[in-house]
């Protein structure tokens, strides 16, 4: 009887200790995200397109790592929330907003602004919030 009771107590202690573990296993991120808010100042153009790009080099060389077309209807009180998801872990050099007039490619595009700094995404730091303002002139 004493042996069965001892086994029951040991089993109970094991079950309680397993259920009370407070140490959580940290899951490693598989990809990164750069997100934020862009505040637009000035008058939105009647024609053309506004383009948001994420580039691995600045000045850009080759296709962007990510892009979005922005329309005035996408804004809330002059602000646009963006998110580039599922990004590779690496350094990104620029987030830029450009205005492409209807006459492009015969004309030129205008840089409205952006954030031109190294943004390093790693498994230990997989998310960056980058907020900035741009101006229509």
């Amino acid at each position: 009887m004493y042996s069965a009771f001892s086994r029951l107590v040991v089993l109970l202690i094991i079950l309680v200790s397993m259920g009370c573990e407070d140490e959580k296993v940290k899951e490693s991120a598989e990809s990164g995200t750069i997100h934020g808010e862009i505040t637009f100042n000035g008058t939105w153009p009647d024609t053309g397109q506004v383009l948001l790009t994420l580039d691995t080099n600045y000045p850009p060389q080759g296709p962007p790592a990510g892009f979005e077309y922005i329309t005035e209807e996408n804004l809330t009180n002059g602000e646009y929330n963006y998110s580039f998801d599922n990004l590779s872990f690496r350094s990104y050099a620029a987030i830029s907003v450009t205005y492409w007039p209807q006459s492009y490619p015969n004309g030129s595009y205008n840089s409205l602004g952006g954030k031109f700094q190294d943004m390093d995404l790693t498994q230990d730091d997989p998310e960056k919030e980058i907020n900035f303002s741009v101006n229509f002139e």
Side-chain angles (χ1 to χ4, degrees):
M1 170 101 176
Y2 179 76
S3 176
F5 180 74
S6 296
R7 289 182 191 154
L8 182 60
V9 169
V10 170
L11 181 61
L12 185 59
I13 290 172
I14 290 172
L15 289 175
V16 168
S17 66
M18 286 174 52
C20 293
E21 270 190 53
D22 60 351
E23 192 173 322
K24 295 183 180 179
V25 176
K26 182 179 177 184
E27 292 186 31
S28 296
E30 295 181 14
S31 61
T33 299
I34 297 175
H35 65 94
E37 184 176 88
I38 304 168
T39 302
F40 284 85
N41 300 302
T43 304
W44 196 274
D46 292 332
T47 62
Q49 295 181 319
V50 176
L51 182 64
L52 170 66
T53 57
L54 173 66
D55 294 292
T56 54
N57 296 302
Y58 190 79
Q61 300 168 7
F67 72 93
E68 296 177 16
Y69 288 100
I70 303 171
T71 64
E72 190 172 16
E73 291 78 30
N74 298 130
L75 305 182
T76 303
N77 296 324
E79 298 174 340
Y80 177 74
N81 291 307
Y82 72 92
S83 185
F84 293 111
D85 302 313
N86 299 315
L87 297 172
S88 299
F89 296 123
R90 62 171 300 150
S91 183
Y92 295 88
I95 300 174
S96 61
V97 179
T98 52
Y99 167 62
W100 299 73
Q102 189 118 6
S103 60
Y104 191 84
N106 297 326
S108 63
Y109 67 90
N110 299 320
S111 176
L112 301 178
K115 204 62 156 179
F116 307 97
Q117 67 183 36
D118 287 336
M119 297 162 276
D120 297 323
L121 293 181
T122 64
Q123 277 191 316
D124 293 331
D125 191 12
E127 185 176 329
K128 299 282 183 201
E129 182 176 348
I130 309 292
N131 302 313
F132 59 95
S133 296
V134 297
N135 300 306
F136 286 107
E137 294 181 16

